[in-house]
Amino acid sequence: MSDTQSKQIDLPAIADIGAVDELRDEMLEALNAGDLEINLAHVERVSTNALFMLLSAAQTAKNHNYQLMLSAPSEHFSSALETLGLESAFAPLMKG
């Protein structure tokens, strides 16, 4: 898809309910234009809502024939996935 754009955004250090609406809008805008990479390196705390929003965004990307990739997961992000048993759901989204 050479005519599509690719965008990268950073998940904030605190990705909780307060950040979900803003993130959702930014992700949807990016996914309407092309592929999206979300950098997870700075995440210190992530809510369950934010994790499910990421899974929903991945499905939206797939529906538009685009790709959502997650990169550089912080230890805190990885720990949240492990605690909630979501590693396998997120594994196909991880870059590298």
Side-chain angles (χ1 to χ4, degrees):
M1 296 188 158
S2 60
D3 61 341
T4 63
Q5 297 185 12
S6 181
K7 184 173 181 180
Q8 180 177 359
I9 60 175
D10 294 329
L11 206 62
I14 308 299
D16 60 9
I17 194 68
V20 168
D21 285 337
E22 182 180 326
L23 288 173
R24 184 192 69 230
D25 293 342
E26 186 175 359
M27 284 191 284
L28 285 174
E29 181 179 321
L31 289 171
N32 283 323
D35 294 339
L36 175 61
E37 180 176 334
I38 301 174
N39 180 351
L40 307 171
H42 304 292
V43 175
E44 296 174 11
R45 186 174 72 213
V46 61
S47 71
T48 304
N49 288 344
L51 293 174
F52 285 120
M53 179 194 60
L54 290 173
L55 292 175
S56 177
Q59 186 60 49
T60 297
K62 184 177 179 181
N63 291 346
H64 286 94
N65 294 317
Y66 297 136
Q67 185 176 17
L68 180 130
M69 297 163 286
L70 304 176
S71 62
S74 70
E75 186 176 321
H76 298 287
F77 185 89
S78 297
S79 178
L81 293 185
E82 183 179 342
T83 298
L84 295 168
L86 294 173
E87 300 104 329
S88 62
F90 278 84
L93 305 177
M94 294 298 179
K95 182 178 178 181

